[in-house]
Amino acid sequence: MLLAILSGFLLATVAPAVHRQTGMNSGWVLAILPAALFLYFLSFLPAVGSGESIVISYPWVPGLDIQLSFLVDGLSLLFALLISGIGFFIVAYAGRYLEGHKDLGRFYVLILSFMASMLGLVLSDNLISLFVFWELTSITSYLLIGFNHEDATARRSALQGLFVTVGGGLALLTGLVMMAVVTGSYELSEILSSGDALRDHGWYVAIVLLVLLGCFTKSAQVPFHFWLPRAMAAPTPVSAYLHSATMVKAGVYLMARLNPSLGATDLWLILLGVFGALTMFTGVFMSIRSTGVKQVLAYSTVMALGTLTMLIGVGTDTAIMAAMAFLLAHSLYKGALFLIAGILDHEAGCKDFLQTGGLRHALPITATFAAIAALSLGGVIPMFGFVAKELLFEAVLEAPSLSGLLSLLTVASAILVVAVAAVVGIKPYWGPRVETPKTPHHEAPPAMLAGPAVLASLGLLFGVGVAMVDRGLLSAAAGAVYGSPVETYLSLWHGFNLPLMLSLLSLVLGLTIYFNWDRFRTATGFMDDLKRFGPERAYDKSMDGLVSISEWQTRVLQNGYLRYYLLTILLSTVALVTFSIARAGGLEIQMSLAGVRIQELAIVAVLLLAALVSVTTSSRLGAVASLGAVGFSVALIYVLFSAADVGITQVLVETLTVIMLVLVLFRLPGFLGLTPQALRIRDAVVALAFGVMVALLSLAASSTRFADSISEYFIRESEPSGFGRNIVNVILVDFRALDTLGEIVVLALAAVGVYAMIKLRAEDNRK
Amino acid sequence: METLMAFVVGGLFAAAIYMMLRRSIVKLVIGLILLSNGANLLLFTQAGMLRGAPPLVPLGATQPEGVVADPLAQALILTAIVIGFGVLAFAVVLIHRAYEVVEADDMDQMKDTDT
């Protein structure tokens, strides 16, 4: 199983090489993998069809309790079969569609990686690995949408898709972790059986909202639907695969997957039902309003995603069965229609339905399969789409609540879907011949026809022989979503009942709209103005806002003035320390000047005076001299208080410092007095505040000791272990010799730097 | 004495920070020197100050007689003084070099990375 999922990534690494070797047949060669995977997953069907669910587990990060575990039940098997099956046709199709494209090798890498991520996502049992695969699909999708990266629109669309889905992914991760905390397990197979614990927990609402945010963004639900039509900037095989059959269904998959543990509450029903229904109607309405071939299909995908969400929300066994049937039907006809859209573009150069017409003579095979797929989309008997649509009507009519609203939106959508189907299936091929940008000379090559032909035919086959998919796969999938086996079975003919009447009604009204398509679009033209208030506008605004906020904060924080950086750091430190002291209830300070000798007092006075002079003098020599006075006073303090070695070092270093400053500073101009008086006072106040703080902390720290000093050890062991009588020296060269080595390295580096800069200057002068 | 030293350290810090807030790069370096003196003294004060008790072991003994000053703090300060000097040497050459390029002792003219 692990190999099956990772094989996509493995093949992706060598795909460009394979492509170079096999040339124009590379599509067929690489498509062997998805085909093999399809057969492999098919071998699970007997067991899963009889209601089993199989868990396969490998340790991944044992310390964090993350396992690479996989769950094969009806739902994941249905998805795995769709992904690998459609993947086969997509890879084969892409080989011809992008033939001669300079980046075809890169395309294979991405599409195979995407397939593997998607398989990993639907088969993962562990929440963390599920999330990792979830994000991998977002990233590969980003790269695929932006495949034509020299096109600014494609780049923008790719970024938009990425922001929306990854933003939702963050929310999802939080939701998943909370779910794992509540249930005590990261394994889906265990979480699914602890639904009651989740629903009764105080975090339930938060978990549902976070998880749904992830699912809604991924599956392009209103108001996040705008990125999906934009994603059509990708090459057509990508649109067919990612944005109709698989990736966008990841959100639907997760909602279906978690339905047994999160579902069956009013919150779930209302959120999924209402947002799903709104998405469904918005999608189909935008679809009939569009004219671009891929736009129409993209919006009708939004419609399908909304329908699936709504059905999962309704949650009755009929609704779940309808969702699974609709999922399968949609993947089949939408995959076919997208691939046909690619053929129209490839052969006739058509990107807009208004430019098409009468192509049935030039592309007879394409026209046939387009018609079959469109019939399934429109839900016409005897297609599989009809079966799904009947069940959809039945489910919303029987919905436990909100039935009226959902039914109304469903029927309205169904009417428009018929019109969309007619646009897609009839408009390009019938009627008068319209001049197309390219004149088609021949049918598309077999590699490109195979996908639409098989997928569209399956839609017909499953409709007529509905029992083929009913009792094995679909009821197992529905059972996995419902949480217990479902009793509803599919049939082509339900008898004369309300759903059938609604079907007929939608057919008639839909065709009426189709024949008045132009008038319909003109009549609803005012809707274009509403775009200004749409969610995409909000997205743009927030992106602009993000940019201007970062510009503003860079301007304020990274202003390039050292003194403002310093001021910020100093004032924050003073404020934070004051705050901490105030919270701790003040400092314990013991002050005593007892025992201070007169010579010490004199040294301290000299030191402070010298420091003051060095700060206030306007003469450079004066500043250097008083610095020297400060340094030698410090040395005297060391000597007086038992630190002879330190004192000697200080004297040496201070002498060198003064010499060096005199040598260098006198090549520089004198002090200029650059700052006005007010700023000097401000700086003095800050400096004094910081000085007072340090003094107070020093006082407080003198009377506090948190741990025993390790000096005792050094004093005790200096002679016996270190064989030295000067304990400071023994520490430096023996106990802490590595520190000293580091110090020497620092000095050496500084010396090299100094030398280099002097050398550099010399060479500059020579020029 | 620690009380007195606390104010000395505070005074050195205040002077150092005032100098580091100036626009002149020479004053910045003077500030750095004052700051490193202040920091060393702070460490020295915190270790406890003893008169006439250097951390030395007399000839023939294995332990010092009586209480001696903290040798660890002295070792750390020694290291700090030397490293401080290395940094200072580097900084002084650097400002000299910077002055040659910018031809002003003014940090506001060194804001850009281009010069």
Side-chain angles (χ1 to χ4, degrees), chain B residues 43-76:
Chain B
L43 196 57
F44 193 64
T45 311
Q46 291 307 311
M49 299 172 79
L50 285 176
R51 293 183 189 87
L56 297 173
V57 181
L59 266 179
T62 58
Q63 307 284 318
E65 291 163 7
V67 182
V68 291
D70 191 340
L72 183 61
Q74 294 189 16
L76 294 179

PDB file of all heavy atoms in Angstrom, chain B residues 43-76:
ATOM      1  N   LEU B  43      29.505  42.860  36.431  1.00  0.00           N
ATOM      2  CA  LEU B  43      29.828  41.457  36.730  1.00  0.00           C
ATOM      3  C   LEU B  43      30.699  41.372  37.989  1.00  0.00           C
ATOM      4  O   LEU B  43      30.466  40.542  38.868  1.00  0.00           O
ATOM      5  CB  LEU B  43      30.568  40.878  35.519  1.00  0.00           C
ATOM      6  CG  LEU B  43      30.691  39.375  35.426  1.00  0.00           C
ATOM      7  CD1 LEU B  43      29.320  38.762  35.443  1.00  0.00           C
ATOM      8  CD2 LEU B  43      31.416  39.014  34.141  1.00  0.00           C
ATOM      9  N   PHE B  44      31.664  42.280  38.036  1.00  0.00           N
ATOM     10  CA  PHE B  44      32.602  42.289  39.152  1.00  0.00           C
ATOM     11  C   PHE B  44      31.871  42.541  40.465  1.00  0.00           C
ATOM     12  O   PHE B  44      32.104  41.879  41.478  1.00  0.00           O
ATOM     13  CB  PHE B  44      33.654  43.371  38.894  1.00  0.00           C
ATOM     14  CG  PHE B  44      34.834  43.298  39.794  1.00  0.00           C
ATOM     15  CD1 PHE B  44      35.678  42.194  39.767  1.00  0.00           C
ATOM     16  CD2 PHE B  44      35.129  44.331  40.675  1.00  0.00           C
ATOM     17  CE1 PHE B  44      36.783  42.126  40.601  1.00  0.00           C
ATOM     18  CE2 PHE B  44      36.224  44.261  41.512  1.00  0.00           C
ATOM     19  CZ  PHE B  44      37.056  43.157  41.473  1.00  0.00           C
ATOM     20  N   THR B  45      30.932  43.503  40.420  1.00  0.00           N
ATOM     21  CA  THR B  45      30.176  43.836  41.627  1.00  0.00           C
ATOM     22  C   THR B  45      29.323  42.658  42.090  1.00  0.00           C
ATOM     23  O   THR B  45      29.237  42.361  43.276  1.00  0.00           O
ATOM     24  CB  THR B  45      29.248  45.031  41.333  1.00  0.00           C
ATOM     25  OG1 THR B  45      30.018  46.044  40.698  1.00  0.00           O
ATOM     26  CG2 THR B  45      28.640  45.566  42.596  1.00  0.00           C
ATOM     27  N   GLN B  46      28.710  42.007  41.126  1.00  0.00           N
ATOM     28  CA  GLN B  46      27.790  40.934  41.477  1.00  0.00           C
ATOM     29  C   GLN B  46      28.490  39.753  42.119  1.00  0.00           C
ATOM     30  O   GLN B  46      27.888  38.995  42.875  1.00  0.00           O
ATOM     31  CB  GLN B  46      27.034  40.459  40.227  1.00  0.00           C
ATOM     32  CG  GLN B  46      26.051  41.456  39.681  1.00  0.00           C
ATOM     33  CD  GLN B  46      25.102  41.925  40.754  1.00  0.00           C
ATOM     34  OE1 GLN B  46      24.526  41.113  41.466  1.00  0.00           O
ATOM     35  NE2 GLN B  46      24.958  43.228  40.890  1.00  0.00           N
ATOM     36  N   ALA B  47      29.785  39.570  41.797  1.00  0.00           N
ATOM     37  CA  ALA B  47      30.488  38.431  42.381  1.00  0.00           C
ATOM     38  C   ALA B  47      30.833  38.676  43.847  1.00  0.00           C
ATOM     39  O   ALA B  47      31.311  37.778  44.532  1.00  0.00           O
ATOM     40  CB  ALA B  47      31.746  38.137  41.578  1.00  0.00           C
ATOM     41  N   GLY B  48      30.613  39.888  44.321  1.00  0.00           N
ATOM     42  CA  GLY B  48      30.982  40.214  45.696  1.00  0.00           C
ATOM     43  C   GLY B  48      32.382  40.800  45.718  1.00  0.00           C
ATOM     44  O   GLY B  48      33.281  40.290  45.048  1.00  0.00           O
ATOM     45  N   MET B  49      32.559  41.887  46.457  1.00  0.00           N
ATOM     46  CA  MET B  49      33.857  42.583  46.423  1.00  0.00           C
ATOM     47  C   MET B  49      34.577  42.405  47.754  1.00  0.00           C
ATOM     48  O   MET B  49      34.042  42.685  48.819  1.00  0.00           O
ATOM     49  CB  MET B  49      33.633  44.052  46.106  1.00  0.00           C
ATOM     50  CG  MET B  49      32.972  44.246  44.743  1.00  0.00           C
ATOM     51  SD  MET B  49      32.497  45.931  44.429  1.00  0.00           S
ATOM     52  CE  MET B  49      34.060  46.633  43.965  1.00  0.00           C
ATOM     53  N   LEU B  50      35.788  41.919  47.668  1.00  0.00           N
ATOM     54  CA  LEU B  50      36.592  41.689  48.872  1.00  0.00           C
ATOM     55  C   LEU B  50      37.912  42.426  48.739  1.00  0.00           C
ATOM     56  O   LEU B  50      38.519  42.431  47.678  1.00  0.00           O
ATOM     57  CB  LEU B  50      36.883  40.192  49.034  1.00  0.00           C
ATOM     58  CG  LEU B  50      35.743  39.313  49.516  1.00  0.00           C
ATOM     59  CD1 LEU B  50      36.187  37.878  49.524  1.00  0.00           C
ATOM     60  CD2 LEU B  50      35.296  39.757  50.894  1.00  0.00           C
ATOM     61  N   ARG B  51      38.360  43.022  49.815  1.00  0.00           N
ATOM     62  CA  ARG B  51      39.640  43.730  49.778  1.00  0.00           C
ATOM     63  C   ARG B  51      40.757  42.785  50.202  1.00  0.00           C
ATOM     64  O   ARG B  51      40.606  42.019  51.153  1.00  0.00           O
ATOM     65  CB  ARG B  51      39.628  44.915  50.731  1.00  0.00           C
ATOM     66  CG  ARG B  51      38.674  46.007  50.299  1.00  0.00           C
ATOM     67  CD  ARG B  51      38.776  47.192  51.255  1.00  0.00           C
ATOM     68  NE  ARG B  51      37.711  48.145  50.969  1.00  0.00           N
ATOM     69  CZ  ARG B  51      36.493  48.064  51.506  1.00  0.00           C
ATOM     70  NH1 ARG B  51      36.196  47.088  52.341  1.00  0.00           N
ATOM     71  NH2 ARG B  51      35.584  48.950  51.200  1.00  0.00           N
ATOM     72  N   GLY B  52      41.871  42.832  49.467  1.00  0.00           N
ATOM     73  CA  GLY B  52      43.086  42.139  49.880  1.00  0.00           C
ATOM     74  C   GLY B  52      42.946  40.635  50.020  1.00  0.00           C
ATOM     75  O   GLY B  52      43.583  40.019  50.875  1.00  0.00           O
ATOM     76  N   ALA B  53      42.133  40.020  49.220  1.00  0.00           N
ATOM     77  CA  ALA B  53      42.024  38.558  49.278  1.00  0.00           C
ATOM     78  C   ALA B  53      42.074  37.981  47.873  1.00  0.00           C
ATOM     79  O   ALA B  53      41.092  37.433  47.369  1.00  0.00           O
ATOM     80  CB  ALA B  53      40.715  38.149  49.966  1.00  0.00           C
ATOM     81  N   PRO B  54      43.210  38.103  47.188  1.00  0.00           N
ATOM     82  CA  PRO B  54      43.284  37.605  45.810  1.00  0.00           C
ATOM     83  C   PRO B  54      43.173  36.080  45.765  1.00  0.00           C
ATOM     84  O   PRO B  54      43.614  35.409  46.707  1.00  0.00           O
ATOM     85  CB  PRO B  54      44.663  38.064  45.326  1.00  0.00           C
ATOM     86  CG  PRO B  54      45.440  38.259  46.566  1.00  0.00           C
ATOM     87  CD  PRO B  54      44.497  38.683  47.627  1.00  0.00           C
ATOM     88  N   PRO B  55      42.593  35.535  44.718  1.00  0.00           N
ATOM     89  CA  PRO B  55      42.426  34.078  44.634  1.00  0.00           C
ATOM     90  C   PRO B  55      43.739  33.391  44.288  1.00  0.00           C
ATOM     91  O   PRO B  55      43.947  32.948  43.162  1.00  0.00           O
ATOM     92  CB  PRO B  55      41.379  33.921  43.529  1.00  0.00           C
ATOM     93  CG  PRO B  55      41.477  35.151  42.714  1.00  0.00           C
ATOM     94  CD  PRO B  55      41.974  36.230  43.587  1.00  0.00           C
ATOM     95  N   LEU B  56      44.602  33.295  45.260  1.00  0.00           N
ATOM     96  CA  LEU B  56      45.907  32.658  45.063  1.00  0.00           C
ATOM     97  C   LEU B  56      46.092  31.586  46.114  1.00  0.00           C
ATOM     98  O   LEU B  56      45.616  31.711  47.247  1.00  0.00           O
ATOM     99  CB  LEU B  56      47.033  33.687  45.199  1.00  0.00           C
ATOM    100  CG  LEU B  56      47.051  34.831  44.184  1.00  0.00           C
ATOM    101  CD1 LEU B  56      48.118  35.835  44.577  1.00  0.00           C
ATOM    102  CD2 LEU B  56      47.282  34.301  42.787  1.00  0.00           C
ATOM    103  N   VAL B  57      46.781  30.506  45.730  1.00  0.00           N
ATOM    104  CA  VAL B  57      47.084  29.438  46.694  1.00  0.00           C
ATOM    105  C   VAL B  57      48.524  29.650  47.169  1.00  0.00           C
ATOM    106  O   VAL B  57      49.438  29.677  46.337  1.00  0.00           O
ATOM    107  CB  VAL B  57      46.943  28.054  46.043  1.00  0.00           C
ATOM    108  CG1 VAL B  57      47.222  26.963  47.050  1.00  0.00           C
ATOM    109  CG2 VAL B  57      45.568  27.911  45.422  1.00  0.00           C
ATOM    110  N   PRO B  58      48.766  29.811  48.487  1.00  0.00           N
ATOM    111  CA  PRO B  58      50.129  30.052  48.976  1.00  0.00           C
ATOM    112  C   PRO B  58      51.020  28.860  48.689  1.00  0.00           C
ATOM    113  O   PRO B  58      50.550  27.730  48.569  1.00  0.00           O
ATOM    114  CB  PRO B  58      49.951  30.243  50.482  1.00  0.00           C
ATOM    115  CG  PRO B  58      48.503  30.441  50.691  1.00  0.00           C
ATOM    116  CD  PRO B  58      47.788  29.784  49.565  1.00  0.00           C
ATOM    117  N   LEU B  59      52.323  29.136  48.617  1.00  0.00           N
ATOM    118  CA  LEU B  59      53.308  28.066  48.391  1.00  0.00           C
ATOM    119  C   LEU B  59      53.196  27.017  49.479  1.00  0.00           C
ATOM    120  O   LEU B  59      53.043  27.350  50.660  1.00  0.00           O
ATOM    121  CB  LEU B  59      54.720  28.652  48.396  1.00  0.00           C
ATOM    122  CG  LEU B  59      55.314  29.029  47.030  1.00  0.00           C
ATOM    123  CD1 LEU B  59      56.704  29.615  47.206  1.00  0.00           C
ATOM    124  CD2 LEU B  59      55.352  27.811  46.129  1.00  0.00           C
ATOM    125  N   GLY B  60      53.219  25.758  49.078  1.00  0.00           N
ATOM    126  CA  GLY B  60      53.191  24.687  50.050  1.00  0.00           C
ATOM    127  C   GLY B  60      51.801  24.282  50.503  1.00  0.00           C
ATOM    128  O   GLY B  60      51.632  23.261  51.152  1.00  0.00           O
ATOM    129  N   ALA B  61      50.781  25.072  50.155  1.00  0.00           N
ATOM    130  CA  ALA B  61      49.420  24.697  50.550  1.00  0.00           C
ATOM    131  C   ALA B  61      48.663  24.192  49.323  1.00  0.00           C
ATOM    132  O   ALA B  61      49.084  24.396  48.183  1.00  0.00           O
ATOM    133  CB  ALA B  61      48.703  25.900  51.140  1.00  0.00           C
ATOM    134  N   THR B  62      47.572  23.491  49.574  1.00  0.00           N
ATOM    135  CA  THR B  62      46.737  23.079  48.442  1.00  0.00           C
ATOM    136  C   THR B  62      45.465  23.921  48.353  1.00  0.00           C
ATOM    137  O   THR B  62      44.761  23.852  47.346  1.00  0.00           O
ATOM    138  CB  THR B  62      46.333  21.596  48.566  1.00  0.00           C
ATOM    139  OG1 THR B  62      45.650  21.434  49.803  1.00  0.00           O
ATOM    140  CG2 THR B  62      47.544  20.688  48.520  1.00  0.00           C
ATOM    141  N   GLN B  63      45.179  24.677  49.409  1.00  0.00           N
ATOM    142  CA  GLN B  63      43.984  25.524  49.408  1.00  0.00           C
ATOM    143  C   GLN B  63      44.390  26.935  49.800  1.00  0.00           C
ATOM    144  O   GLN B  63      45.355  27.115  50.546  1.00  0.00           O
ATOM    145  CB  GLN B  63      42.976  25.009  50.450  1.00  0.00           C
ATOM    146  CG  GLN B  63      42.616  23.545  50.317  1.00  0.00           C
ATOM    147  CD  GLN B  63      41.662  23.291  49.168  1.00  0.00           C
ATOM    148  OE1 GLN B  63      40.744  24.055  48.980  1.00  0.00           O
ATOM    149  NE2 GLN B  63      41.900  22.227  48.414  1.00  0.00           N
ATOM    150  N   PRO B  64      43.670  27.959  49.324  1.00  0.00           N
ATOM    151  CA  PRO B  64      43.951  29.318  49.803  1.00  0.00           C
ATOM    152  C   PRO B  64      43.609  29.438  51.291  1.00  0.00           C
ATOM    153  O   PRO B  64      42.795  28.657  51.796  1.00  0.00           O
ATOM    154  CB  PRO B  64      43.031  30.186  48.970  1.00  0.00           C
ATOM    155  CG  PRO B  64      42.293  29.295  48.046  1.00  0.00           C
ATOM    156  CD  PRO B  64      42.554  27.882  48.410  1.00  0.00           C
ATOM    157  N   GLU B  65      44.201  30.405  51.914  1.00  0.00           N
ATOM    158  CA  GLU B  65      43.879  30.624  53.324  1.00  0.00           C
ATOM    159  C   GLU B  65      42.668  31.527  53.428  1.00  0.00           C
ATOM    160  O   GLU B  65      42.663  32.618  52.892  1.00  0.00           O
ATOM    161  CB  GLU B  65      45.077  31.280  54.031  1.00  0.00           C
ATOM    162  CG  GLU B  65      46.262  30.353  54.167  1.00  0.00           C
ATOM    163  CD  GLU B  65      47.540  31.137  54.473  1.00  0.00           C
ATOM    164  OE1 GLU B  65      47.439  32.360  54.708  1.00  0.00           O
ATOM    165  OE2 GLU B  65      48.610  30.527  54.430  1.00  0.00           O
ATOM    166  N   GLY B  66      41.683  31.059  54.133  1.00  0.00           N
ATOM    167  CA  GLY B  66      40.501  31.879  54.362  1.00  0.00           C
ATOM    168  C   GLY B  66      39.698  32.113  53.093  1.00  0.00           C
ATOM    169  O   GLY B  66      39.852  31.407  52.088  1.00  0.00           O
ATOM    170  N   VAL B  67      38.834  33.136  53.157  1.00  0.00           N
ATOM    171  CA  VAL B  67      37.950  33.429  52.026  1.00  0.00           C
ATOM    172  C   VAL B  67      38.710  34.262  50.998  1.00  0.00           C
ATOM    173  O   VAL B  67      39.425  35.192  51.366  1.00  0.00           O
ATOM    174  CB  VAL B  67      36.714  34.199  52.524  1.00  0.00           C
ATOM    175  CG1 VAL B  67      35.773  34.466  51.356  1.00  0.00           C
ATOM    176  CG2 VAL B  67      36.011  33.419  53.610  1.00  0.00           C
ATOM    177  N   VAL B  68      38.592  33.899  49.707  1.00  0.00           N
ATOM    178  CA  VAL B  68      39.219  34.696  48.659  1.00  0.00           C
ATOM    179  C   VAL B  68      38.147  35.212  47.701  1.00  0.00           C
ATOM    180  O   VAL B  68      37.012  34.728  47.694  1.00  0.00           O
ATOM    181  CB  VAL B  68      40.254  33.876  47.856  1.00  0.00           C
ATOM    182  CG1 VAL B  68      41.451  33.552  48.724  1.00  0.00           C
ATOM    183  CG2 VAL B  68      39.625  32.626  47.295  1.00  0.00           C
ATOM    184  N   ALA B  69      38.523  36.207  46.876  1.00  0.00           N
ATOM    185  CA  ALA B  69      37.584  36.767  45.894  1.00  0.00           C
ATOM    186  C   ALA B  69      37.226  35.689  44.866  1.00  0.00           C
ATOM    187  O   ALA B  69      37.984  34.742  44.638  1.00  0.00           O
ATOM    188  CB  ALA B  69      38.204  37.964  45.198  1.00  0.00           C
ATOM    189  N   ASP B  70      36.058  35.887  44.238  1.00  0.00           N
ATOM    190  CA  ASP B  70      35.540  34.880  43.298  1.00  0.00           C
ATOM    191  C   ASP B  70      36.425  34.810  42.046  1.00  0.00           C
ATOM    192  O   ASP B  70      36.482  35.768  41.279  1.00  0.00           O
ATOM    193  CB  ASP B  70      34.111  35.285  42.912  1.00  0.00           C
ATOM    194  CG  ASP B  70      33.420  34.181  42.157  1.00  0.00           C
ATOM    195  OD1 ASP B  70      34.128  33.302  41.620  1.00  0.00           O
ATOM    196  OD2 ASP B  70      32.181  34.182  42.101  1.00  0.00           O
ATOM    197  N   PRO B  71      37.140  33.720  41.835  1.00  0.00           N
ATOM    198  CA  PRO B  71      38.040  33.677  40.680  1.00  0.00           C
ATOM    199  C   PRO B  71      37.295  33.531  39.346  1.00  0.00           C
ATOM    200  O   PRO B  71      37.782  33.976  38.307  1.00  0.00           O
ATOM    201  CB  PRO B  71      38.881  32.435  40.944  1.00  0.00           C
ATOM    202  CG  PRO B  71      38.006  31.557  41.763  1.00  0.00           C
ATOM    203  CD  PRO B  71      37.151  32.464  42.599  1.00  0.00           C
ATOM    204  N   LEU B  72      36.118  32.925  39.395  1.00  0.00           N
ATOM    205  CA  LEU B  72      35.396  32.697  38.140  1.00  0.00           C
ATOM    206  C   LEU B  72      34.991  34.016  37.489  1.00  0.00           C
ATOM    207  O   LEU B  72      35.200  34.228  36.299  1.00  0.00           O
ATOM    208  CB  LEU B  72      34.161  31.833  38.405  1.00  0.00           C
ATOM    209  CG  LEU B  72      33.387  31.478  37.150  1.00  0.00           C
ATOM    210  CD1 LEU B  72      34.251  30.688  36.194  1.00  0.00           C
ATOM    211  CD2 LEU B  72      32.132  30.699  37.500  1.00  0.00           C
ATOM    212  N   ALA B  73      34.452  34.935  38.325  1.00  0.00           N
ATOM    213  CA  ALA B  73      34.050  36.233  37.772  1.00  0.00           C
ATOM    214  C   ALA B  73      35.252  36.938  37.174  1.00  0.00           C
ATOM    215  O   ALA B  73      35.165  37.538  36.090  1.00  0.00           O
ATOM    216  CB  ALA B  73      33.425  37.080  38.877  1.00  0.00           C
ATOM    217  N   GLN B  74      36.410  36.824  37.863  1.00  0.00           N
ATOM    218  CA  GLN B  74      37.613  37.485  37.335  1.00  0.00           C
ATOM    219  C   GLN B  74      38.020  36.887  35.994  1.00  0.00           C
ATOM    220  O   GLN B  74      38.403  37.607  35.063  1.00  0.00           O
ATOM    221  CB  GLN B  74      38.752  37.353  38.343  1.00  0.00           C
ATOM    222  CG  GLN B  74      38.458  38.113  39.625  1.00  0.00           C
ATOM    223  CD  GLN B  74      39.669  38.163  40.535  1.00  0.00           C
ATOM    224  OE1 GLN B  74      40.781  37.902  40.095  1.00  0.00           O
ATOM    225  NE2 GLN B  74      39.437  38.501  41.790  1.00  0.00           N
ATOM    226  N   ALA B  75      37.927  35.572  35.896  1.00  0.00           N
ATOM    227  CA  ALA B  75      38.286  34.922  34.627  1.00  0.00           C
ATOM    228  C   ALA B  75      37.359  35.386  33.514  1.00  0.00           C
ATOM    229  O   ALA B  75      37.799  35.690  32.394  1.00  0.00           O
ATOM    230  CB  ALA B  75      38.207  33.409  34.780  1.00  0.00           C
ATOM    231  N   LEU B  76      36.069  35.465  33.821  1.00  0.00           N
ATOM    232  CA  LEU B  76      35.114  35.904  32.802  1.00  0.00           C
ATOM    233  C   LEU B  76      35.393  37.338  32.379  1.00  0.00           C
ATOM    234  O   LEU B  76      35.362  37.670  31.186  1.00  0.00           O
ATOM    235  CB  LEU B  76      33.677  35.783  33.339  1.00  0.00           C
ATOM    236  CG  LEU B  76      33.179  34.367  33.617  1.00  0.00           C
ATOM    237  CD1 LEU B  76      31.761  34.407  34.158  1.00  0.00           C
ATOM    238  CD2 LEU B  76      33.219  33.538  32.337  1.00  0.00           C
TER     239      LEU B  76
END
